[in-house]
Amino acid sequence: MSNEDKKTGEIPFSQRPLAYKVAVFYLLILGTQFVWIEGFSISLIKAAAMVISPFLFLVCRVKIGAAWIFSGIYFALICTSVIIRDVPFNLSVFYTLGCLCTFSTFSSLVDSGVFTFDDAIDLLKKMIYLYAVFLVLQQIKSYTGIGFAPLINYWEISYNGLRKFNSLFIEPSHLGRVMAVVLLAYLELKRISYGKKLSLGDLWKNDRWPLFAALYTLFMSGSGAAIVALIVLGGYVIMRGSPGFMLFAFISVFALTPMLHEMDHVQRAVSTLEVSTTMDMEQIQKNDNSAAARVAPLIAFIENFRPGAWDFWVGQTPGSYPYYPNIGIVELYGAFAYIGLLLLLFTCCFRGMVSIEFIFFCGLFGATIGNVAYVWFSMMIFALIKYFDRFKRKATTKKLSQI
């Protein structure tokens, strides 16, 4: 151990236990996508990592957590749907199994205490910096031509003349959602570890650089989803924060309003929020196709809520007529399977129906997960928040009981 490590008390990665290394490995493998290596859709590298996740879990020798149990229930409901409808078990079903095994492995490692507060906060900070650095390198490449595109994960993306940046993901909207989730986790873990509301002074003193990096990335990605996430996250911080936060937020909004109105992705985000209240799918899609992909399933679920229909509960057979659009899981495997998914997520990821995690799940991810790596990564981050929130509450209860 170096003198610097001795001073800070930080343990080098090489000296960490295997369980810690496995947890970090899955955070990195699901929380990034190098498109020049992994492609623009399903990554074979991620698929291979998912296949070995149960074996790594066994090698780490930690207890089977609730995630394994509820993942098993969810997958059993998927299999039941497939069998009842007499359709083949395709690769999508087995990929879902891989996602569930990976999530369950990570969640069980977290529940075993593999991360301390400092470990988790440090990892989240490094991920914020990682996403920000790649975005800046892509901006340099875009505006000056300097930089090797494959090395910095860069590919040309624009919308109505606005340059957009994907950082370590396939597209900017993925970056916007993930950065919002990571920033939320960073702020929440800081708040939980302090045991008090975060003040403006605390953030400026200890967290101004990661906060600046996250905000810069969210604004400069060119993603409307990032702006929507900022609106929700900002409201959450204001509600939980001190009056200093509210004053800072009002001044910031007032000062930035002229510039924000000139930013296309901000206009689209605000417009989408307004149009969504009309429940008019044609208007939503006309306003923003990308937003429609997230809003449409929720509206379709309300419009096609048919508890008296058998295919609503077990899923629609491919090619069947009439076809009823719905949330992806409800379409594919039925409402029974979707309930199984919600049981898994409320047990391991969400702190309640009114939690910001559940709001993000509905607003940013269309209230479903599917076989999308960065969404499962976001659920892993939510699981991290829930674990430390529960850990702190238990510690506080134990301390009070000893008084």
Side-chain angles (χ1 to χ4, degrees):
M1 185 180 291
S2 67
N3 291 331
E4 186 64 27
D5 291 329
K6 290 178 181 177
K7 289 178 183 178
T8 62
E10 182 178 344
I11 302 173
F13 185 80
S14 61
Q15 296 181 20
R16 294 281 191 171
L18 177 63
Y20 177 91
K21 294 176 182 178
V22 170
V24 172
F25 169 73
Y26 280 111
L27 277 177
L28 290 175
I29 203 74
L30 267 68
T32 60
Q33 179 137 339
F34 287 88
V35 295
W36 298 100
I37 300 172
E38 301 181 71
F40 288 83
S41 56
I42 298 295
S43 163
L44 294 179
I45 294 175
K46 287 180 173 58
M50 291 175 182
V51 168
I52 65 172
S53 62
F55 303 103
L56 291 177
F57 170 76
L58 292 174
V59 171
C60 290
R61 304 183 70 168
V62 297
K63 291 193 300 183
I64 294 178
W68 282 104
I69 297 170
F70 285 95
S71 289
I73 294 172
Y74 173 45
F75 190 69
L77 289 169
I78 288 176
C79 292
T80 302
S81 167
V82 172
I83 293 169
I84 288 175
R85 290 180 295 123
D86 194 23
V87 295
F89 282 86
N90 55 28
L91 287 176
S92 178
V93 175
F94 294 108
Y95 192 81
T96 299
L97 178 60
C99 292
L100 290 170
C101 288
T102 303
F103 173 78
S104 299
T105 295
F106 179 82
S107 181
S108 296
L109 290 173
V110 169
D111 287 342
S112 73
V114 69
F115 295 129
T116 65
F117 266 109
D118 289 341
D119 288 337
I121 290 170
D122 185 58
L123 276 171
L124 292 167
K125 183 192 294 187
K126 287 176 179 175
M127 297 202 80
I128 288 173
Y129 285 147
L130 187 66
Y131 297 146
V133 166
F134 271 79
L135 180 135
V136 170
L137 291 174
Q138 289 171 352
Q139 286 181 315
I140 294 172
K141 168 66 177 175
S142 179
Y143 292 110
T144 68
I146 300 172
F148 184 51
L151 187 63
I152 60 173
N153 209 42
Y154 173 80
W155 59 290
E156 197 73 38
I157 311 173
S158 64
Y159 180 88
N160 287 346
L162 172 70
R163 300 188 191 191
K164 307 173 78 170
F165 303 95
N166 57 304
S167 185
L168 284 171
F169 295 92
I170 296 174
E171 59 179 72
S173 64
H174 298 182
L175 168 64
R177 295 176 195 131
V178 169
M179 180 59 95
V181 168
V182 173
L183 176 59
L184 165 67
Y186 181 79
L187 294 175
E188 273 295 87
L189 262 59
K190 295 286 283 191
R191 181 187 66 79
I192 294 169
S193 65
Y194 289 158
K196 63 178 184 178
K197 296 176 182 178
L198 289 175
S199 68
L200 184 60
D202 288 336
L203 283 180
W204 177 255
K205 181 179 179 181
N206 303 315
D207 306 295
R208 58 181 178 272
W209 292 117
L211 191 60
F212 173 77
L215 295 176
Y216 181 85
T217 303
L218 286 166
F219 272 110
M220 295 303 170
S221 66
S223 166
I227 302 304
V228 173
L230 267 178
I231 293 171
V232 176
L233 190 56
Y236 177 77
V237 170
I238 290 171
M239 290 171 66
R240 281 188 172 246
S242 66
F245 270 121
M246 296 181 68
L247 179 63
F248 174 72
F250 281 127
I251 293 174
S252 299
V253 170
F254 180 78
L256 293 173
T257 294
M259 181 187 75
L260 295 180
H261 277 296
E262 299 300 319
M263 297 174 69
D264 179 75
H265 58 298
V266 176
Q267 291 180 344
R268 287 189 293 115
V270 174
S271 179
T272 297
L273 289 174
E274 293 174 347
V275 175
S276 295
T277 61
T278 68
M279 301 285 283
D280 186 336
M281 275 309 309
E282 289 186 6
Q283 284 297 321
I284 295 172
Q285 193 160 12
K286 183 179 178 181
N287 176 72
D288 188 346
N289 279 321
S290 177
R294 296 184 297 275
V295 176
L298 294 172
I299 296 176
F301 179 79
I302 296 171
E303 291 180 344
N304 295 322
F305 182 73
R306 303 174 298 119
W310 182 240
D311 65 355
F312 173 77
W313 293 103
V314 300
Q316 300 179 55
T317 302
S320 63
Y321 182 84
Y323 167 73
Y324 298 96
N326 213 311
I327 291 173
I329 302 300
V330 179
E331 276 188 29
L332 290 172
Y333 307 119
F336 282 132
Y338 187 63
I339 291 170
L341 173 64
L342 291 180
L343 283 173
L344 169 64
L345 297 179
F346 274 103
T347 301
C348 301
C349 304
F350 308 147
R351 289 172 290 180
M353 284 286 291
V354 294
S355 65
I356 189 170
E357 301 95 309
F358 185 65
I359 293 171
F360 271 12
F361 172 68
C362 294
L364 295 181
F365 305 118
T368 191
I369 297 180
N371 294 335
V372 184
Y374 80 88
V375 184
W376 279 108
F377 167 80
S378 299
M379 298 306 112
M380 288 159 60
I381 297 297
F382 289 156
L384 200 64
I385 297 174
K386 182 162 184 172
Y387 166 76
F388 281 107
D389 185 66
R390 188 170 59 237
F391 176 83
K392 191 70 172 182
R393 289 176 188 274
K394 286 182 179 178
T396 301
T397 303
K398 183 177 180 181
K399 185 176 180 181
L400 290 173
S401 66
Q402 294 174 345
I403 295 176

